[in-house]
Amino acid sequence: MHRRDFTTHLLRAGALAALPLPAAERQPLRDVANARHLLAGAAVSYRELQREDCRALLAREASILVSENDMKWQSIHPAPDRYDYTRADALLAFAKTSNAKVRGHNLCWHQQLPRWFPSTATSGNAGELLRAHIAEVAGHYAGRIHSWDVVNEAVFVEDGRSDGLRKSPWLELAGPSYIDLAFTTAAKADPQAILTYNDYDLEQDTEAHEAKRRAVLALLKGLRARNVPVQALGIQSHLVASTSPYQWSGFHRFLDGAEKLGLTIFITELDVDDTALPADIADRDRQVAACYQDFLSNALKHHNLQAILTWGFTDPDTWLNHFHPRKDGTPQRPLPFDGQLQPKPAYFAMEQSIEAAPRR
Ligand code: G3I
């Protein structure tokens, strides 16, 4: 049996957790993706970047990387008049040696703002603070970033505004035009990076996700109509495994809408929250993998999808253990590699969905 058929068979049979596949016998995911003109990779923390075994794994598997935290305002702009590029530069240096592209995350967000921000930012200076930060940071990395998450998570329908925008410090201090300002400033500072709007909760066929999709699409339409240089949509894809599989009609309509606007699409932060699944590891890994496969095989139907990144790559380092711990106290298993850096069923689900993707 061909290895791919064998993998499919095992995935269906739920036996993949036990499949021994030495790294030397596997084609790296980056090569599988490259054959489909796709980029594949992951978010990386500074701690992981210090580990030789993680570097080797990433060098082998990832053609695109993003810093989990080190390009955010809090890390890169620690004082009003000081920028610290140490950690982010280390990622770029590693990416250069491993011939991987780097996404920039992010230039404008309501979270992980520096401690000095609340006492310094006012309605009088917020626009200029944003402009200066983006000009400086995107300028520092000009020509070296594949794509920037210029604005992250600006939509939050639950805040009750008719335009669906989040009542973030940026909105409250600078007004809704802060989004236009962020993109136009980024375009000036780095004309080569693909300028991206990035958000979450866009995947499921629920009323809440549908409302968010509507608001995000309306935002993107407005930006394009005003000739604001937004070029890509980043879909975070923090999925939640459940016993009832997702339906994808709303998601497909949404991606069709983004494609009509001429936007490139990236899956930017893929992982699968397993809090609703039983503790048994083989069962959990199988259901998480099924979720990866279901999602990716749907997303990959869209030709504008160019890159797939998971949010982290080994289970022990997932943000989910801090933000959404399992009730039974066992650690979550949301990512393609386990703590021994061995590929899990989710890895093979990624590989298989990418191999099966229509040519682009
Ligand atoms: O920097 C401090 C460090 O000094 C301190 O010792 C340590 C003690 O806990 O905390 C460190 O800060 C933490 C930071 O991660 C770096 O590890 C923060 O407490 C913690 O809140 C922060 O969490 C990050 C989170 O964004 C912030 O909202 C997660 O690692 C990161 O995975 C997560 O990533 C976000 C994306 O940027 C946007 N989309 C959603 C995604 C998941 O929330």
Side-chain angles (χ1 to χ4, degrees):
M1 198 185 285
H2 186 277
R3 180 178 298 285
R4 194 190 315 161
D5 300 336
F6 182 56
T7 308
T8 314
H9 168 75
L10 287 177
L11 192 59
R12 289 211 181 102
L16 260 179
L19 183 66
L21 275 177
E25 283 182 29
R26 276 190 289 112
Q27 197 188 8
L29 195 64
R30 65 183 288 165
D31 294 352
V32 176
N34 189 44
R36 286 284 177 283
H37 302 290
L38 284 161
L39 294 164
V44 186
S45 69
Y46 187 63
R47 207 180 57 75
E48 290 164 321
L49 204 56
Q50 309 308 302
R51 284 179 46 178
E52 205 38 62
D53 55 354
C54 287
R55 293 167 72 94
L57 182 76
L58 289 168
R60 182 186 144 82
E61 301 287 347
S63 51
I64 188 160
L65 299 168
V66 61
S67 172
E68 184 176 0
N69 284 302
D70 297 326
M71 286 191 183
K72 295 170 180 174
W73 275 66
Q74 193 182 48
S75 323
I76 219 163
H77 198 164
D81 54 356
R82 194 162 69 80
Y83 290 85
D84 182 352
Y85 295 109
T86 318
R87 291 181 167 210
D89 280 355
L91 178 66
L92 268 96
F94 168 68
K96 199 169 178 190
T97 63
S98 69
N99 195 24
K101 297 186 185 303
V102 176
R103 303 203 69 243
H105 176 79
N106 53 58
L107 293 170
C108 178
W109 192 26
H110 62 285
Q111 282 187 33
Q112 284 177 291
L113 285 163
R115 219 171 281 157
W116 56 264
F117 186 86
S119 56
T120 307
T122 64
S123 53
N125 68 11
E128 175 51 21
L129 275 179
L130 182 64
R131 193 208 57 74
H133 174 94
I134 293 177
E136 164 60 34
V137 176
H140 177 85
Y141 288 115
R144 295 185 286 157
I145 295 289
H146 166 267
S147 47
W148 265 114
D149 289 334
V150 178
V151 175
N152 195 40
E153 304 174 6
V155 168
F156 191 63
V157 176
E158 291 83 341
D159 274 347
R161 287 175 54 99
S162 59
D163 57 9
L165 290 182
R166 180 187 295 274
K167 291 181 179 166
S168 72
W170 294 116
L171 183 107
E172 313 236 75
L173 294 173
S177 66
Y178 83 88
I179 299 175
D180 299 31
L181 173 66
F183 279 100
T184 49
T185 309
K188 261 189 229 146
D190 186 353
Q192 288 175 47
I194 304 170
L195 304 183
T196 307
Y197 175 76
N198 192 46
D199 216 327
Y200 64 93
D201 278 358
L202 299 166
E203 303 83 13
Q204 299 177 26
D205 252 11
T206 58
E207 264 179 42
H209 283 218
E210 184 60 28
K212 182 138 183 180
R213 286 191 286 263
R214 261 200 308 274
V216 167
L217 214 47
L219 168 67
L220 294 169
K221 267 187 195 156
L223 293 172
R224 295 296 264 187
R226 297 193 294 280
N227 287 321
V228 175
V230 58
Q231 292 147 349
L233 165 66
I235 300 173
Q236 293 187 8
S237 315
H238 293 292
L239 308 180
V240 180
S242 84
T243 39
S244 50
Y246 285 24
Q247 303 297 312
W248 300 106
S249 51
F251 184 62
H252 284 302
R253 274 196 306 275
F254 177 58
L255 295 196
D256 288 345
E259 287 181 319
K260 265 193 206 130
L261 291 174
L263 297 170
T264 293
I265 297 163
F266 305 128
I267 302 296
T268 52
E269 306 186 12
L270 177 60
D271 54 17
V272 175
D273 181 322
D274 70 14
T275 42
L277 300 182
D280 179 76
I281 284 180
D283 189 12
R284 244 202 286 168
D285 284 356
R286 184 184 57 77
Q287 295 199 50
V288 165
C291 196
Y292 268 81
Q293 184 134 18
D294 189 21
F295 173 66
L296 287 177
S297 57
N298 277 283
L300 282 162
K301 288 181 182 155
H302 295 266
H303 286 247
N304 286 18
L305 175 53
Q306 288 186 1
I308 300 168
L309 295 96
T310 53
W311 200 242
F313 53 102
T314 68
D315 287 338
D317 288 306
T318 178
W319 70 287
L320 287 165
N321 284 333
H322 308 286
F323 290 78
H324 300 280
R326 283 176 61 88
K327 286 210 176 76
D328 62 13
T330 62
Q332 290 227 32
R333 299 181 61 82
L335 288 166
F337 293 92
D338 67 16
Q340 280 71 49
L341 308 193
Q342 293 306 306
K344 297 166 51 209
Y347 175 93
F348 298 108
M350 289 183 81
E351 178 188 58
Q352 207 189 320
S353 323
I354 292 171
E355 276 186 334
R359 286 212 165 272
R360 58 204 61 232

